[in-house]
Amino acid sequence: MKKLSFCLCFLLILVLAGCSRKTYEYPFRNPDLPTEERIEDLLKRLTLEEKVGQMMNQTPSVERLGIPPYDWWNEALHGVARAGKATVFPQAIALAATFDDADLYTTFSMVGDEARAKYHHYQKLKEYDRYKGLTFWTPNINIFRDPRWGRGMETYGEDPYLTERMGLAVVKGLQGDDPNYFKTHACAKHYAVHSGPEWNRHSFDVEVSPRDLWETYLPAFEALVKKGHVQEVMCAYNRYEGKPCCGSDKLLVDILRNAWGYDDIILSDCGAIDDFWQKDENTPRHETHPDRESASVDAVRSGTDLECGGSYRSLLEAVKKGTIKESELNVSLRRLLRGRFELGMFDPDERVPYSKIPYDVVESPEHIAQALKMARKSMVLLKNADRTLPLSKGIRKIAVVGPNAADSTMLWANYNGFPTHTVTILEGIRKKVPDAEVVYVLGCNHTDDFMIKDLGASVTNPSGTGFAAEFYNNESFEGEPVHTGTVQSLHYTTGGNTQFAPKVNLTHFSARFTGTFEAPLTGEVEFDISGNDGFRLYVGEEKAAEMWTSEYTGSRKYKLKVEEGRKYPLKIEYLQKTGSADLNFTIGARSAVDYAGTVAQVKDADVIIFAGGISPRLEGEEMPVDAEGFRKGDRLNIEVPKVQHEMIKSLEATGKPLVYVCCTGSPLAIGWEQEHADAILNAWYGGQEGGTAVADILFGDYNPAGRLPVTFYRSADQLPDFEDYSMKGRTYRYMTQKPLYPFGYGLSYSTYTYKDAKLSAVSIEKDQPVTLMFKIENKGAMDGEEVAQVYLKNPNDPEGPLKALKAFRRVPVKAGESAEVSIELKPESFRSFNDRTQTFEVRPGEYTVLLGSSSDDRDLQGLKLTIQ
């Protein structure tokens, strides 16, 4: 009887288990099957046309299989970008200045959490637009070899080792540590040997020695592939040894696939395949292939699985003609499909642990606090004569001057998200000392030797002042408008989470604004319009400015001679597709910069703070910048713009203490400022809490410890030609001249000394590690942090770097106390390149291990080490 009861119970359990087991229409939907089995099942169900569609960043839906569209393009350079609200951390170059990869890992774990929360939110809304996916095209681990490169601010500086450490932190933070699913994909870009100029990146052919290739340009990529298991690699626009990088057998096949064993996704930079074959009078291209079909076939055979662009559509015809086999496409498709399976895109949310991340993590108090923490850690005190800083909170009157003082969007840098609130430098100072009188004077703009008087109040429409507005929930002004009204000014920066007007979509809409400008003066006025994705400005019947269906925010200026009292009809058409909706329009008249007038307003202040530098609207990716000293996002020189230099000189002449807060994404030649300003704080582009961080440092609530991840040169005269990719004479590793500020440099409100430095052994075998032990003593009155840096000088390799960073540690040390530090140097730290064999080796001989606070020999102490 007992045996019968047991059998019945067992049968009941089996029946219940069978009833509870979920059935799936297709095996590829079954998360219990092995991933490879699911891939093969889906692959055999796709038509040739569907397969080709899956190899482009905007993959169309496969409705018969229940697969929605997906856009692989997403950005998270320093926070989730271009998809509305997100925490905006400091720019990448600023994060490098923290010299703290542990905190950078924490930061990008948070970024990954926000990315996941936003993705699942959009999935529920069935929104599949660009910038709403899980595949993030970051980090940029190119070497910032020349300060004139506008995209250098997106990198982690000039040193291969620092770039490797920071890049690994980003990848591991974004991709997560779940054994079954990636949180997101990270992408190592731009592979390889890519760092400007921007103006010829679509046609430039890089030549570089094997040593520079392997010792400088490739180490971070190799580390992210082998140590970080990065899931995507983006090939660059430029050519390398005559072949476009996205079609380079040497880079993609010989090195990446074969030597490093990489079998994950390679994708093209956007439009890079077009550069193979397109002819363009305005933008020279490679033109290495006769047509898009041959270009696409070559790229696929070289290993480029995914194209950002449209050339791969030609693969359909190429397969039909026999130019390439469908089986060759399947090689790429297996990688692409595996990526989506491992992100959980085909699985129920309950199976994916990251789906449980709540949406309220997006710009949560914890994440904002981390943005502030990283901004504080990033800022580099360059000068502090006579202990000008920190300033007293009891100060009576403060003057704040300069183009970056009240500029919130400057702090966002580029490839940015949109915070709910940004603390400007001016706001941060006012909050810090609420009882002080804080006088703000713009003084000058970034580069212009003139100021603009706003004439926007002179626009009217039949209903009164301002523009008559019409909004349409489509991209072509079709049908009846969903909203009409009057707007007083055209300044919209919605970030994708705020409507332009009631009933108007957040994306995929168009708007028309009309009004009449009655000139209040006789002379020249300037119409300045910027936005994305497209805009048109009409003055009367003339189309005065246009930037239509652009992927990036752009700007246009139009100048017009006007007569006082005359009326000029205006019409602005705006197109919004995906991501953020931004539109700004101003009318202004020029007047000369009034140096004396600015001085008169601030001369009785107790201290003058000049917040200047440059702006992400001047440096960046292939930008239409029309300003002296700048070209298409790059710089022609590295000097401070002349108008700012003259303003600083005028302020210095008052004799008042002068603090220069420099915001920049790249090194500036601030030699005059170094000699004449009382204190200089390099604040980078500090993110949404940048203003708070600046104030915390200026008034002593935070002891600065940021270090320069790049060399600050005295002038462009110290630089080789921009297009010369040889490392000779570049960066601290090969520079023989004295820079303005060396790599690794940064001051503190405390004084630190290094004591009792010793190695665990003075002689080791070439496959052995060695440990460096030392103490750091804080002789100041404030708790602080010291960034201990370890360099190696290898006299056994005379063609190699003069010295090279091999380790660093950001060490907290309380006032009056010491901290003991131990750093292991692994055998790979002593490798050098053999020019004859083109391999790395550890050569026997005597080495010098250098320890100190910067790369400058005066800040370093040496310990001898013999390798047998």
Side-chain angles (χ1 to χ4, degrees), residues 370-385:
Q370 183 72 6
L372 174 59
K373 182 180 183 181
M374 298 306 281
R376 286 168 168 165
K377 283 192 163 190
S378 73
M379 295 183 182
V380 185
L381 184 62
L382 298 176
K383 181 182 181 181
N384 193 21

Side-chain angles (χ1 to χ4, degrees), residues 400-406 440-445 451-452 598 610-611 647:
V400 181
V401 183
N404 283 331
Y440 165 62
V441 184
L442 173 60
C444 65
N445 292 310
M451 302 293 284
I452 297 289
T598 299
F610 182 81
M647 182 59 71

Side-chain angles (χ1 to χ4, degrees), residues 337-382:
L337 294 176
R338 184 173 71 240
R340 294 184 69 179
F341 278 115
E342 290 177 346
L343 285 164
M345 290 182 179
F346 296 99
D347 293 356
D349 275 358
E350 59 266 23
R351 296 291 293 263
V352 184
Y354 296 122
S355 69
K356 299 177 178 63
I357 298 172
Y359 190 80
D360 59 13
V361 304
V362 178
E363 206 188 13
S364 62
E366 181 185 10
H367 291 192
I368 294 172
Q370 183 72 6
L372 174 59
K373 182 180 183 181
M374 298 306 281
R376 286 168 168 165
K377 283 192 163 190
S378 73
M379 295 183 182
V380 185
L381 184 62
L382 298 176

Side-chain angles (χ1 to χ4, degrees), residues 391-462:
L391 300 172
S392 168
K393 291 181 183 176
I395 200 165
R396 181 184 61 84
K397 185 173 183 178
I398 303 168
V400 181
V401 183
N404 283 331
D407 188 342
S408 59
T409 59
M410 171 275 300
L411 295 168
W412 300 349
N414 69 347
Y415 282 91
N416 58 281
F418 300 92
T420 315
H421 178 69
T422 303
V423 182
T424 65
I425 294 170
L426 177 63
E427 181 184 350
I429 292 169
R430 283 180 167 158
K431 284 184 176 179
K432 184 65 65 176
V433 283
D435 296 328
E437 180 185 0
V438 179
V439 177
Y440 165 62
V441 184
L442 173 60
C444 65
N445 292 310
H446 288 100
T447 59
D448 298 329
D449 59 357
F450 56 84
M451 302 293 284
I452 297 289
K453 180 182 179 181
D454 186 7
L455 303 177
S458 300
V459 176
T460 61
N461 70 88

Side-chain angles (χ1 to χ4, degrees), residues 187 464 501 580 626:
C187 175
S580 63
D626 180 21

